[in-house]
Amino acid sequence: MNYATIKNNDIANGPGVRVSLFVSGCTHHCKGCFNEIAWDFDYGEPFTQETIDSILQMMAPDYIQGITLLGGEPFEPQNQPAIVDLLRQIKVKYPNKSIWAFSGYLFDKDILTGKLGPWEITKEYLSYLDVLVDGRFVEEKKNLSLRFRGSSNQRLIDVPKSLQSGEVVLWDDWQGQERGMK
Ligand code: SF4
């Protein structure tokens, strides 16, 4: 996997101050994408153990609430193994810091079906996530007032609760629950 950018004080992509990793490669090609340059899987720098070590170091301060994975597409099958390797090490070192991911794939219709590469890898990936913001960016549904989302079709999903209940459970209390995985 290659990555485009790492931000060590991001306040826009999840609660609190976070480290954000923008991976390279995305096959969705949404109209109006904010990061078109990262569609190319070869864009940016190779993601190595050295990169992981520097992310772990960036996450050390108490004020860093967690990490957010963006792209590009963090759920492309070829990106998943490197991200799982990163998340495994984060969970060992910082078990209480939160992990968010943004994906153009839908949690229930794409990710949970196991069609995005070996299920064992996707399953482990999901076991580390607190929140998944899912759905492609839809320019016609763009809304700048939305929290942590670009367009109104995107959902903030509470991953542990959704996996436990077998339903899509939205993260924010005020959004309540979306019954039934369609
Ligand atoms: S999923 Fe994200 S990175 Fe990929 S094309 Fe859509 S907006 Fe761009």
Side-chain angles (χ1 to χ4, degrees):
M1 181 177 84
N2 273 21
Y3 71 98
T5 320
I6 300 171
K7 294 185 181 173
N8 63 353
N9 279 299
D10 189 353
I11 53 164
N13 294 302
V17 184
R18 317 179 67 76
V19 173
S20 296
L21 168 66
F22 293 75
V23 304
S24 297
C26 180
T27 56
H28 299 302
H29 298 187
C30 310
K31 189 171 77 155
C33 168
F34 72 107
N35 198 14
E36 207 170 307
I37 199 163
W39 290 358
D40 179 358
F41 284 85
D42 293 326
Y43 178 73
E45 303 292 322
F47 189 81
T48 63
Q49 182 58 44
E50 215 171 82
T51 321
I52 294 178
D53 291 340
S54 91
I55 289 174
L56 292 173
Q57 213 172 349
M58 287 178 198
M59 290 182 71
D62 285 346
Y63 64 82
I64 297 290
Q65 207 162 318
I67 186 165
T68 299
L69 311 163
L70 313 95
E73 171 56 75
F75 270 90
E76 294 294 0
Q78 55 269 64
N79 286 342
Q80 290 192 34
I83 294 176
V84 168
D85 192 18
L86 166 70
L87 298 186
R88 202 183 287 134
Q89 295 184 51
I90 289 174
K91 271 292 165 195
V92 169
K93 200 150 186 173
Y94 307 116
N96 298 320
K97 300 210 183 211
S98 66
I99 299 175
W100 279 47
F102 285 71
S103 177
Y105 291 110
L106 293 173
F107 178 68
D108 40 354
K109 288 185 181 154
D110 301 314
I111 296 171
L112 284 184
T113 63
K115 68 182 186 187
L116 302 176
W119 174 241
E120 281 312 306
I121 293 177
T122 306
K123 191 178 161 193
E124 184 178 354
Y125 193 157
L126 291 173
S127 76
Y128 299 133
L129 284 190
D130 293 292
V131 172
L132 175 75
V133 184
D134 83 341
R136 293 168 57 149
F137 172 69
V138 178
E139 201 168 38
E140 292 72 24
K141 294 185 176 173
K142 181 176 175 179
N143 183 342
L144 295 176
S145 68
L146 293 169
R147 210 172 157 211
F148 310 135
R149 295 177 290 161
S151 57
S152 59
N153 60 297
Q154 295 170 317
R155 304 176 292 183
L156 283 87
I157 295 172
D158 184 321
V159 175
K161 282 187 188 165
S162 299
L163 291 176
Q164 201 179 13
S165 68
E167 299 175 336
V168 174
V169 180
L170 298 183
W171 173 69
D172 269 328
D173 288 338
W174 56 268
Q175 289 185 98
Q177 285 197 356
E178 183 179 281
R179 293 279 167 198
M181 289 186 173
K182 292 166 201 155

